[in-house]
Structures are given as C-alpha cells and as structure tokens.
C-alpha cells in the first residue's frame, strides 16, 4: 500500500493551509509531503517542472506517492502528470479544481482588470 501523499495548495493561499489536511491524513497512517509554490508570476510549466523534481525526490526516498491538489494545485498536478509520465504515483485527488474551466473566471475575464 502506498503511504506517501504529496499535497499541493491553491493559487491565492500559502502551503500552510494544507497542514490541517496533512494532520488528518497522517492520523490515518499516511506520510504527507507539502509542495509549495508562488502561484502568480511564473508559468504553470515552470511549477510543473519543480513539482516533478519534488515528486521524484519523494519517490526515490520513500516510494511512489498519491497527489492531492487544491484549486490551481490540482491543475498543477494534472500538468505535471501529463508532462512527466514516468513519475511513480498512486492516485490523484483534485479538490475544487477548475479542470473543465471556471464560470466565475470566464465572467471576470470579460473585464479588463480580470484579464
């Protein structure tokens, strides 16, 4: 059974917000590894490269891992897994991830400030 879980936070929040979830998962016998990134200002591909290296480090040390991504973190997980197929992994769980688009985002993008 895979015991490792890589947690990836959303866009406007720090990695610290994943700590309560990590605590609960660790209480059930899983070992959590938090991946943190600065959401704005860098392309998703750059974050995907960093997450791939992070996941390789975790899998080299402990074995394959599951992924849990919140919001943009879920898109980052998907991008990483699409770009780096050989990453050893279990399952990917996406929490509140706009994987099929985002109605609110489309509405905000209509306005100059939202672009």
């Amino acid at each position: 059974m895979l015991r490792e879980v890589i947690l990836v936070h959303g866009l406007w929040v720090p990695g610290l917000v994943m700590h309560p979830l990590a605590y609960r998962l660790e209480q059930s016998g899983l070992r959590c590894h938090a991946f943190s990134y600065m959401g704005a200002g860098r392309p998703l591909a750059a974050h995907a490269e960093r997450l791939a290296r992070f996941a390789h480090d975790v899998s080299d040390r402990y074995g394959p891992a599951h992924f849990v991504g919140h919001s943009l973190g879920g898109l980052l997980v998907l991008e990483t897994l699409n770009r780096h197929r050989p990453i050893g992994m279990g399952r990917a769980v996406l929490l509140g991830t706009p994987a099929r688009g985002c109605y609110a985002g489309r509405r905000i993008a209509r306005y100059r400030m939202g672009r």
Side-chain angles (χ1 to χ4, degrees):
M1 179 176 118
L2 294 176
R3 294 190 54 231
E4 311 307 317
V5 178
I6 296 174
L7 301 171
V8 185
H9 62 87
L11 175 62
W12 300 113
V13 295
L16 186 64
V17 302
M18 298 301 269
H19 285 226
L21 177 59
Y23 175 78
R24 301 231 17 208
L25 292 173
E26 287 171 351
Q27 294 300 308
S28 67
L30 299 170
R31 184 177 11 233
C32 294
H33 309 273
F35 176 78
S36 220
Y37 65 98
M38 295 298 290
R42 294 187 81 187
L44 194 63
H47 296 308
E49 292 298 321
R50 282 192 54 238
L51 178 55
R53 287 193 303 273
F54 184 83
H56 279 296
D57 290 345
V58 169
S59 65
D60 287 347
R61 188 167 183 191
Y62 301 105
H66 300 293
F67 288 85
V68 175
H70 172 251
S71 190
L72 181 66
L75 291 178
L76 180 52
V77 167
L78 288 176
E79 182 71 14
T80 302
L81 296 175
N82 282 328
R83 288 175 172 267
H84 301 276
R85 300 255 177 199
I87 290 178
M89 65 161 284
R91 300 177 192 272
V93 176
L94 310 179
L95 305 171
T97 298
R100 295 184 54 174
C102 174
Y103 176 74
R106 285 191 299 274
R107 294 215 29 172
I108 291 169
R110 290 186 207 167
Y111 303 98
R112 191 170 133 194
M113 255 180 103
R115 292 185 207 122

